Amino acid sequence: MRPTPSRRQFSAALLAASVLTPLTAAPASALQPSGRRDRQACPPDGFGPELTARLDRTIEEARREAGIPGIVTGLWMPGRGDYVRATGVADTASGTPMTTDVFVRIGSETKTFTVTALLKLVDDREIRLDDPISRYVAGVPNGRRITLRHLAEMRSGLFPYTADQDFTQALFSDPSRSFTPAELLRHGFKHPNTAAPGTTFQYCNTNLVLLGLVVERVGGRPFADFLRERVLRPARLHRTFFPGGAEFPEPHPHGYTDDILTGEVVDATDWNPSWAWAAGAMISDLHDLRRWAEIVATGKLLRAATQRERLTMLPTGFPGTRYGLGILETGGWIGHNGSLPGYESVTVHLPSKKATLVLLLNTDITHEGQEPSSLVARAITEVVTPDNIYDRPAPLS
């Protein structure tokens, strides 16, 4: 889910210190197979030549239709096969091919990590989901009635700071600047709440910034340290990071966005994601996300009762999509997607078939109102799991 504010809200925003880069049509490139073999039970020869060729065509057609520069795809279905490919380009200026070993900014997939950190504290009996946020963070509008559960399930009624005009002005006048969590919250808290707690689903990054602060306070260390020690290390995710600023490990593709006032396409590769903090700043790669998809969907790091709380899915108001505690479900696929300027991703698991799908894209430019990652995920699942189609609707924020 797209954590960036909509361009329609940028009427007063400025763009400075960014390099304007025309998004040329990405040339067709050879599909890049992965050099890493998986240790899990997928047949070594993939899905076989016929289905593999069909997936190749499906992904390339979706890429060209939506104008996506490059896509990394990983699909694993134990007992049936696997498919790991990269297509298109990592850099539209040089034509450098996309490869499967890239790091990518994963945007709102960060929410699955943040909520897992929170739920570790629930398992430790340090907090309860029905605790009011006012117990941990002062100054939250209506904070005595808004619970940690409301925040995680996007039903707090708090105003999204990304919709504040002063925030968008600050962000897009200098995309390299750093924001603190307190600065982000001030942009949201100056507005009236949008609904009573627990009554309305509204996708809102304010919620996850607050949960990150809860993890810091109760966990007794910086959020990034708690996440590394209590979530990433036990999950054995060695190529997943919570950056302190704009740092971006190599190799990584260039990322392209039009989410600015003018609607022009710009290179957002080095923009600072601190504005998304615990809601969307993380970086990962294909194989770590493949591992994470199953962990987060099946609750391997949590007590069974806590995982049941996470997977209590509620309606979002968008047909086909429900939301739990920092996690979504669509067509039986459980996980999250991510979007921030220049990048999109999908990491989902289908428990009924023990299948996992991971997509990494180097653009967030919508196509006919749809996120490009959703278009690709839908096309793939229509081919391989026609009874379980990933059918996320238009962006929820």
Side-chain angles (χ1 to χ4, degrees), residues 29 32 69-72 86-90 96-100 102 253 360-362:
S29 63
Q32 304 292 322
I71 304 173
V72 178
T87 185
V89 298
T96 302
M98 184 71 94
T99 58
T100 60
V102 293
L360 306 174
L361 285 65
N362 59 341

Side-chain angles (χ1 to χ4, degrees), residues 360-374:
L360 306 174
L361 285 65
N362 59 341
T363 186
D364 68 319
I365 299 173
T366 59
H367 176 69
E368 297 180 351
Q370 293 284 297
E371 292 176 324
S373 59
S374 293

Side-chain angles (χ1 to χ4, degrees), residues 13 16 29 44 96 109 197 209 219 249-250 252 277 291 313 321 338 341 351 374 383:
S29 63
T96 302
E109 288 196 36
V209 171
E250 295 282 358
H252 61 255
W277 200 55
R291 182 175 181 79
M313 300 288 180
T321 299
S374 293
V383 170

Side-chain angles (χ1 to χ4, degrees), residues 161-388:
Y161 67 84
T162 53
D164 175 66
Q165 291 291 328
D166 291 337
F167 167 77
T168 59
Q169 172 83 15
L171 174 62
F172 284 90
S173 63
D174 181 8
S176 67
R177 68 163 288 179
S178 291
F179 290 87
T180 67
E183 289 176 304
L184 300 175
L185 293 177
R186 281 197 294 271
H187 285 293
F189 290 173
K190 67 185 183 182
H191 297 272
N193 289 7
T194 61
T199 61
T200 304
F201 177 89
Q202 181 185 27
Y203 196 75
C204 174
N205 287 327
T206 305
N207 298 332
L208 271 292
V209 171
L210 285 168
L211 293 182
L213 291 175
V214 172
V215 170
E216 281 198 334
R217 175 169 178 178
V218 180
R221 69 205 87 166
F223 176 74
D225 292 348
F226 187 95
L227 192 68
R228 182 176 59 252
E229 295 165 15
R230 298 296 309 278
V231 178
L232 301 181
R233 189 174 294 163
R236 303 204 306 275
L237 303 181
H238 305 301
R239 288 168 60 88
T240 301
F241 309 95
F242 189 88
E247 63 267 27
F248 203 167
E250 295 282 358
H252 61 255
H254 285 252
Y256 303 95
T257 189
D258 66 349
D259 209 358
I260 61 172
L261 175 63
T262 65
E264 295 177 87
V265 175
V266 301
D267 187 328
T269 306
D270 297 321
W271 287 12
N272 190 331
S274 64
W275 67 268
W277 200 55
M282 289 182 73
I283 294 167
S284 191
D285 79 340
L286 178 70
H287 290 280
D288 264 16
L289 291 175
R290 180 265 177 99
R291 182 175 181 79
W292 181 243
E294 184 176 357
I295 288 172
V296 76
T298 62
K300 289 186 176 181
L301 296 184
L302 301 173
R303 297 176 188 269
T306 307
Q307 179 68 2
R308 285 195 294 271
E309 297 273 17
R310 170 154 58 186
L311 296 184
T312 300
M313 300 288 180
L314 299 175
T316 62
F318 295 86
T321 299
R322 300 183 299 156
Y323 206 81
L325 302 180
I327 197 167
L328 65 82
E329 183 274 325
T330 177
W333 292 91
I334 298 171
H336 219 290
N337 66 324
S339 181
L340 80 174
Y343 300 93
E344 287 202 341
S345 57
V346 172
T347 296
V348 288
H349 185 72
L350 183 62
S352 63
K353 293 182 171 57
K354 298 184 179 180
T356 294
L357 173 65
V358 178
L359 295 174
L360 306 174
L361 285 65
N362 59 341
T363 186
D364 68 319
I365 299 173
T366 59
H367 176 69
E368 297 180 351
Q370 293 284 297
E371 292 176 324
S373 59
S374 293
L375 294 173
V376 178
R378 183 181 307 117
I380 291 171
T381 55
E382 284 174 344
V383 170
V384 295
T385 56
D387 294 330
N388 298 97

Side-chain angles (χ1 to χ4, degrees), residues 28-238:
S29 63
L31 293 168
Q32 304 292 322
S34 170
R36 257 169 96 174
R37 290 306 312 166
D38 283 290
R39 296 184 178 90
Q40 297 189 28
C42 292
D45 297 325
F47 285 101
E50 183 176 342
L51 183 52
T52 297
R54 187 178 174 192
L55 284 168
D56 289 347
R57 290 193 302 271
T58 296
I59 294 166
E60 184 62 10
E61 287 169 4
R63 187 182 73 81
R64 289 178 174 276
E65 177 187 350
I68 303 166
I71 304 173
V72 178
T73 304
L75 175 63
W76 298 270
M77 300 184 71
R80 185 176 177 188
D82 63 4
Y83 178 94
V84 179
R85 294 286 192 275
T87 185
V89 298
D91 183 342
T92 61
S94 68
T96 302
M98 184 71 94
T99 58
T100 60
D101 62 346
V102 293
F103 292 94
V104 169
R105 301 193 190 279
I106 61 171
S108 282
E109 288 196 36
T110 302
K111 292 175 173 64
T112 61
F113 293 92
T114 299
V115 172
T116 298
L118 183 83
L119 296 178
K120 293 290 282 185
L121 293 171
V122 172
D123 275 355
D124 294 343
R125 295 181 171 81
E126 297 282 346
I127 62 173
R128 296 180 305 165
L129 285 170
D130 294 318
D131 288 344
I133 185 59
S134 61
R135 182 172 299 177
Y136 306 102
V137 181
V140 179
N142 206 20
R144 295 177 64 182
R145 293 186 57 210
I146 295 170
T147 67
L148 305 185
R149 186 190 304 275
H150 291 144
L151 295 167
E153 66 190 13
M154 299 294 180
R155 292 173 181 269
S156 70
L158 290 170
F159 185 88
Y161 67 84
T162 53
D164 175 66
Q165 291 291 328
D166 291 337
F167 167 77
T168 59
Q169 172 83 15
L171 174 62
F172 284 90
S173 63
D174 181 8
S176 67
R177 68 163 288 179
S178 291
F179 290 87
T180 67
E183 289 176 304
L184 300 175
L185 293 177
R186 281 197 294 271
H187 285 293
F189 290 173
K190 67 185 183 182
H191 297 272
N193 289 7
T194 61
T199 61
T200 304
F201 177 89
Q202 181 185 27
Y203 196 75
C204 174
N205 287 327
T206 305
N207 298 332
L208 271 292
V209 171
L210 285 168
L211 293 182
L213 291 175
V214 172
V215 170
E216 281 198 334
R217 175 169 178 178
V218 180
R221 69 205 87 166
F223 176 74
D225 292 348
F226 187 95
L227 192 68
R228 182 176 59 252
E229 295 165 15
R230 298 296 309 278
V231 178
L232 301 181
R233 189 174 294 163
R236 303 204 306 275
L237 303 181
H238 305 301

